[in-house]
Amino acid sequence: NAGVTQTPKFRVLKTGQSMTLLCAQDMNHEYMYWYRQDPGMGLRLIHYSVGEGTTAKGEVPDGYNVSRLKKQNFLLGLESAAPSQTSVYFCASSDRANEQFFGPGTRLTVL
Amino acid sequence: EDQVTQSPEALRLQEGESSSLNCSYTVSGLRGLFWYRQDPGKGPEFLFTLYSAGEEKEKERLKATLTKKESFLHITAPKPEDSATYLCAVRGGGYNKLIFGAGTRLAVHP
């Protein structure tokens, strides 16, 4: 039982490049989330999903897109990366309104 | 607007020196207050959920309490392995959205 996994662990992009972060969970959770964590700030919700095929905007959605084609996977895309998107990205999942379980994170640097 | 403030930002303790971390919150209709532990380079690890004022939960050297305006994470006789950042989050109305505080960095020295 791996819980929540994220790939890749680290990535360096140049401004304007695109990339996709993959999150997978094996707990059969309905809800999945993408957060970013910046120094001195709390985790901020980017997008979330309450079920396969559904997505919604969180607190800081601009510059990101998501897809949930399968229940166990939640993808976060950056179409044109900007230095302001340098951050650590965490995926989480939950069984509806219960506690969220987090992945190990992806450290992204945009030059 | 829902908001969570944690204090202090950082705390240094000697091994065995008990203390408390504070989480003050404003939320329209609290539907849960969550404590997480985060080690450097890792994702947050769930510790506790509290739902109503007066509720308490314990796990080893940690005890979380809740009032109508704040929560405390009490650490009794801490050990160096308790060193981590402790995050507090609240859930208000609507979907399962959590509002996180910036965290308290705890360092316990032998």
Side-chain angles (χ1 to χ4, degrees), chain B residues 35 48 50 55-57 62-66 72-74:
Chain B
W35 281 99
F48 304 109
L50 302 167
E55 189 175 358
E56 299 182 352
K57 288 197 177 169
L62 301 177
K63 183 169 81 172
T65 61
L66 181 65
F72 292 94
L73 185 64
H74 307 279

Side-chain angles (χ1 to χ4, degrees), chain B residues 37 61-62 75-84 86 106 108:
Chain B
R37 169 191 170 127
R61 295 176 291 282
L62 301 177
I75 303 176
T76 302
K79 298 182 178 181
E81 52 261 43
D82 294 322
S83 298
Y86 291 86
L106 174 66
V108 182

